[in-house]
């Protein structure tokens, strides 16, 4: 179910909080994307969302934590600045950070199809909903300013072909 950005009542009714994503698996309600990955891994271990090797699993968890706690700060800061129309210099600084990080994702995909290796993992599912705006068109009916920030501040350069291919690869995965 897709939730209207301005009407969180269905999310609140089911989960007692207002943020998405939330899953309701036959009455088992889990919110927060990282907790949802953990729930799915435990309840439906095949196919796995995390590598079985403990070191690779730790790397995957660290990447997701970095993505949520560090990477997301820049688009959120730009979104807030645009709303207040306060500091263009702050927007430029965060925009530069986002542009530089595009090369990090490109480099992570060197010689492998997914962010953490040759198998799709929770890392890909954590990053894709944000990075996809670099290559996929924004739905014309989508007037969510945060999505515009993601489309406007993630420049896909000529050399970012692995990242472009990854976005298309993840987008082509079957959906529930
Ligand atoms: N840590 C949470 C963050 C959830 C979150 O910020 N969700 C955003 C959409 S990606 C949201 O619902 N925002 C609505 C709001 O802030 O009012 C997670 O990873 O699930």
């Amino acid at each position: 179910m897709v939730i209207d950005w301005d009407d969180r009542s269905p999310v609140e009714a089911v989960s007692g909080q207002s943020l998405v994503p939330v899953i309701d698996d036959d009455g088992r309600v889990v919110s927060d994307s990282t907790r949802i990955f953990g729930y799915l891994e435990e309840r439906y271990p095949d196919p796995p969302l995390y590598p079985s090797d403990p070191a690779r699993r730790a790397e995957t968890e660290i990447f997701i934590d970095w993505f949520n706690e560090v990477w997301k700060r820049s688009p959120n800061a730009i979104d807030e600045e645009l709303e207040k129309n306060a500091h263009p210099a702050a927007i430029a600084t965060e925009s530069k950070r986002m542009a530089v990080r595009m090369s990090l994702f490109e480099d992570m995909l060197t010689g492998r199809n997914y962010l953490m290796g040759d198998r799709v993992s929770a890392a890909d599912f954590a990053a894709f909903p944000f990075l996809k705006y670099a290559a996929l068109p924004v739905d014309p009916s989508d007037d969510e300013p945060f999505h515009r920030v993601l489309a406007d501040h993630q420049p896909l350069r000529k050399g970012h072909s692995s990242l472009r291919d990854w976005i298309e690869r993840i987008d082509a995965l079957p959906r529930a």
Side-chain angles (χ1 to χ4, degrees), residues 5 8 18-21 31-34 68-69 72 130 146:
W5 193 271
R8 301 277 158 159
S18 62
L19 300 179
V20 294
S31 56
D32 184 82
S33 53
T34 306
N68 287 335
E69 301 300 329
K72 283 184 190 172
F130 299 82
F146 187 67

Side-chain angles (χ1 to χ4, degrees), residues 15 35 58 64 75 85 111 124 130 154:
S15 71
R35 287 184 56 237
I64 293 171
N85 205 11
D124 302 289
F130 299 82
Q154 299 191 95

Side-chain angles (χ1 to χ4, degrees), residues 138-175:
V138 182
D139 185 329
S141 67
D142 182 348
D143 56 4
E144 173 45 47
F146 187 67
H147 296 165
R148 189 57 19 237
V149 168
L150 295 173
D152 289 348
H153 296 272
Q154 299 191 95
L156 253 193
R157 305 205 192 290
K158 235 182 166 182
H160 291 156
S161 58
S162 301
L163 181 52
R164 182 184 292 280
D165 290 350
W166 172 83
I167 292 170
E168 286 166 7
R169 187 175 302 120
I170 302 296
D171 191 47
L173 290 174
R175 287 159 208 261

